[in-house]
Amino acid sequence: MLNYQLGLDFALEQDKNDALASFRNQFHIPKDKHGKDSIYMVGNSLGLQPKNAQAYISEVLTDWATLGVDGHFHAKNPWTTYHELLGEQMAKVVGAKPIEVVVMNTLTANLHFMMASFYKPTKTRYKILIEADAFPSDKYAVESQLQHHGFDAKEGLILWKPKKGEDLANYEDLESILESQGNDIALILIGAVNYYTGQFFDLKRITKLGHKHGCMVGFDCAHGAGNVALNLHDSGADFAAWCTYKYLNSGPGSIAGCFVHERHAYNKNLNRFAGWWSHNKETRFKMRDEFDQLPGAEGWQLSNPPILAMAAIRASLELFEEVGMEKLIEKSQRLTGYLEFLLTELGTDAINIITPNNPQERGCQLSIQVKHADKSVFNKLTNLGVMSDWREPNVMRFAPVPLYNSFQDVYNLVERFKKVLKN
Ligand SMILES: Cc1ncc(COP(=O)(O)O)c(C=O)c1O
């Protein structure tokens, strides 16, 4: 563990010795009102634009302009196989095998497609368990799945809640829910890293527990992909889905990722929706054949994919490929630990970090509860050029992202915090 120190010199020294420091230059950093780089701490919401995204998107635009429909087969990177370029790189980011990962659709849509296959309720086993503070879209999605199958959404939803007076969910409570209600639960769907608290759950432990009780287990990895070591294959999870516009820097509302465990790769008996892109690639363009399911996660695709959106992800994934998740996580832990150290050194009870302090139980995001839900703290920081976010009722989220944030960013953030809290 690093011996953190106060003072700007320490931050500068860390940046000087940071092997990943140069990656910051590969991103566009929004400016503050003085024309200086803002302190961008909100990559957990929307990642910054990689500078090479423009070239990759331009390549597609040029191929489209010059080749028209022939771009499907003759573009520099042909559009019919474009998503395959991404699948392999994405698989490394989330710790999966290439056959388990596909880039398609959007996150909530993918959760629904996954539930079409893995939520198989019966009269007696139909409930869905989620974490209490799941992202609203996930909650709405599972409620609508319950209703779609004719169940009462309230009655069918089980919440894994933190103990009274605590902020974080704990595994003993999960175990006792499963001991008492495991036979009623058809599906467990958990946010791998909770969007509000930043708590990174033990995916393997949850999956093992769920499977022991006969439940399907899936994860929403929106806040995990490109942030923590998800090891999706080893976790044994049945499925996972994530967006790519946060830590994966692929642009607002961009196309999402999806994981289906290898053990389901060749199972043709799962309920699923189909389209021509889930059909055997070799015969897809013959158009007259009986449906022939593609194996693996690709078999869940429906439509031919949006290549312009994929070009942006390609730009970002190349950077991930170059750095590798291991080095990224190593820096992430140092950088977030530094933020935690400086905030703790402020010695104030005006703020309280609710994210776990064990680096294995969090990614780069720290969630900070503000006393009396005083949103003016957030507004003043914003005025001082800090880009972060506020989540009701009382939390500010800061994500020093190892690909583009520096130790100096973290130092400057806490200096501004000091200013705001003094006033
Ligand atoms: C954890 C989580 N789940 C779901 C969503 C919804 O994503 P989308 O609008 O891409 O479906 C988000 C969006 O930020 C999220 O953070």
Side-chain angles (χ1 to χ4, degrees), residues 44-45 105-111 131 134-139 191-196 220-223 241-246 253-254 256 391 397:
N44 57 322
S45 183
N105 309 323
T106 49
L107 169 53
T108 309
N110 281 344
L111 288 175
E131 84 264 35
F135 192 81
S137 196
D138 298 24
K139 183 161 178 275
V193 175
N194 180 267
Y195 86 100
Y196 190 75
D220 175 340
C221 298
H223 291 266
W242 56 95
C243 54
T244 62
Y245 44 77
K246 298 177 187 298
S254 191
R391 285 289 174 269
R397 303 185 302 176

Side-chain angles (χ1 to χ4, degrees), residues 80 83 275-279 284-285 294 298 301-305:
T80 45
H83 71 277
W276 70 322
W277 237 250
S278 27
H279 179 89
R284 183 180 285 151
F285 287 95
L294 257 182
E298 274 189 277
Q301 297 173 107
L302 303 184
S303 302
N304 79 102

Side-chain angles (χ1 to χ4, degrees), residues 33-313:
K33 57 189 176 197
H34 307 293
K36 293 204 173 117
D37 284 356
S38 59
I39 302 176
Y40 197 81
M41 289 285 155
V42 73
N44 57 322
S45 183
L46 185 74
L48 290 178
Q49 183 187 133
K51 287 182 180 162
N52 59 353
Q54 203 154 16
Y56 284 19
I57 292 171
S58 285
E59 176 193 302
V60 177
L61 288 172
T62 304
D63 283 340
W64 178 23
T66 54
L67 298 170
V69 70
D70 287 346
H72 281 111
F73 296 100
H74 301 297
K76 193 162 167 220
N77 292 290
W79 305 332
T80 45
T81 49
Y82 204 96
H83 71 277
E84 293 169 15
L85 293 173
L86 309 178
E88 289 201 11
Q89 292 181 338
M90 187 67 94
K92 287 189 205 160
V93 169
V94 297
K97 298 187 177 182
I99 196 172
E100 296 174 316
V101 171
V102 66
V103 173
M104 64 178 189
N105 309 323
T106 49
L107 169 53
T108 309
N110 281 344
L111 288 175
H112 276 295
F113 286 123
M114 290 294 100
M115 285 192 274
S117 300
F118 296 105
Y119 175 50
K120 297 186 286 188
T122 65
K123 274 203 174 102
T124 53
R125 185 191 278 275
Y126 64 89
K127 296 195 178 183
I128 304 180
L129 183 144
I130 60 173
E131 84 264 35
D133 225 341
F135 192 81
S137 196
D138 298 24
K139 183 161 178 275
Y140 306 151
V142 298
E143 284 172 344
S144 67
Q145 283 284 336
L146 282 158
Q147 284 162 342
H148 176 70
H149 287 278
F151 300 106
D152 181 80
K154 267 214 175 80
E155 210 252 323
L157 194 63
I158 298 179
L159 299 181
W160 174 25
K161 290 185 192 149
K163 285 196 179 14
K164 215 167 178 221
E166 293 182 6
D167 298 299
L168 304 173
N170 72 68
Y171 298 100
E172 292 70 36
D173 290 340
L174 182 64
E175 277 159 17
S176 73
I177 293 174
L178 283 160
E179 283 305 325
S180 59
Q181 300 177 74
N183 290 339
D184 305 338
I185 298 173
L187 172 68
I188 298 176
L189 178 64
I190 303 288
V193 175
N194 180 267
Y195 86 100
Y196 190 75
T197 62
Q199 180 176 14
F200 174 27
F201 292 109
D202 184 337
L203 309 193
K204 199 170 187 167
R205 182 169 177 177
I206 294 173
T207 304
K208 220 169 151 192
L209 199 57
H211 284 171
K212 185 176 129 195
H213 289 274
C215 319
M216 288 286 181
V217 181
F219 294 98
D220 175 340
C221 298
H223 291 266
N227 178 26
V228 292
L230 290 167
N231 295 325
L232 285 178
H233 175 80
D234 286 345
S235 78
D238 295 290
F239 69 88
W242 56 95
C243 54
T244 62
Y245 44 77
K246 298 177 187 298
Y247 299 103
L248 294 173
N249 315 309
S250 68
S254 191
I255 189 168
C258 200
F259 161 92
V260 179
H261 198 277
E262 191 181 30
R263 67 177 168 277
H264 302 298
Y266 296 92
N267 183 352
K268 294 192 177 180
N269 296 321
L270 283 167
N271 279 335
R272 56 175 134 177
F273 299 122
W276 70 322
W277 237 250
S278 27
H279 179 89
N280 183 348
K281 290 179 218 182
E282 307 306 321
T283 56
R284 183 180 285 151
F285 287 95
K286 286 194 182 164
M287 311 298 230
R288 296 289 181 279
D289 291 349
E290 283 290 302
F291 180 62
D292 180 9
Q293 179 80 59
L294 257 182
E298 274 189 277
W300 268 264
Q301 297 173 107
L302 303 184
S303 302
N304 79 102
I307 304 299
L308 287 167
M310 290 192 158
I313 305 191

Side-chain angles (χ1 to χ4, degrees), residues 341-354:
F341 165 76
L342 291 181
L343 287 171
T344 309
E345 285 294 315
L346 290 178
T348 171
D349 71 347
I351 55 169
N352 169 39
I353 302 172
I354 60 170

